[in-house]
Structure formats: structure tokens, C-alpha cells
Amino acid sequence: MRSGNEPVTARSPLRLRFWLSLWGLVWAAGGTAAFSLAGRPGWAAACGVVALLAAVDLVVVTRHIRQGPHYQPGRDVPPYEPPRG
């Protein structure tokens, strides 16, 4: 059922985004280290940029999670306003 106010009550998968960002950060940091040791500065720089982007996303997601139910409603908050009537 659509109520017309979905942008206001939309749920964001922040926990999933947190774990995906953390996974990406670990792999990109590992890639940066491995390519640096292998003498591939171009690939190391590319992995470093991806690691930086993943770290920034991790900070943003963590901030939104800590802001509470405005960004991450709990299971007791319905995804839409119940119908009146």
C-alpha cells in the first residue's frame, strides 16, 4: 500500500551499507599494501582512492546510525502511516 509520503518514511539499509563499506575498506587497504609491495604504484594509488572513499562512506554511515531513528527506524516503526478510517 502506498501512502504518498514514502520519502519521509523510507527506510535506509544503513547496517548493510556499514558492513559493505567495512569489507571494501579492508580489501582496498589490503590491495594498496599488496600492490605497493609488488612495485605497482598505479594500482596501489587506485586501491588507495577506493580505500579513502570506503572510509569516508563508513564515517557518514556511522554518523547517520548514531543520529537515531530519523535515519534508522527500528522494527517498531512502520514503513508507512497506518490507514485512517
Side-chain angles (χ1 to χ4, degrees), residues 21-22 24-26 28 48-62:
S21 293
L22 189 61
L25 180 63
V26 167
V49 169
V50 171
L52 180 66
L53 290 173
V56 168
D57 188 46
L58 200 58
V59 168
V60 169
V61 169
T62 303

Side-chain angles (χ1 to χ4, degrees), residues 28 31-32 35 40-53:
T32 303
F35 282 122
R40 301 279 192 172
W43 285 104
C47 286
V49 169
V50 171
L52 180 66
L53 290 173

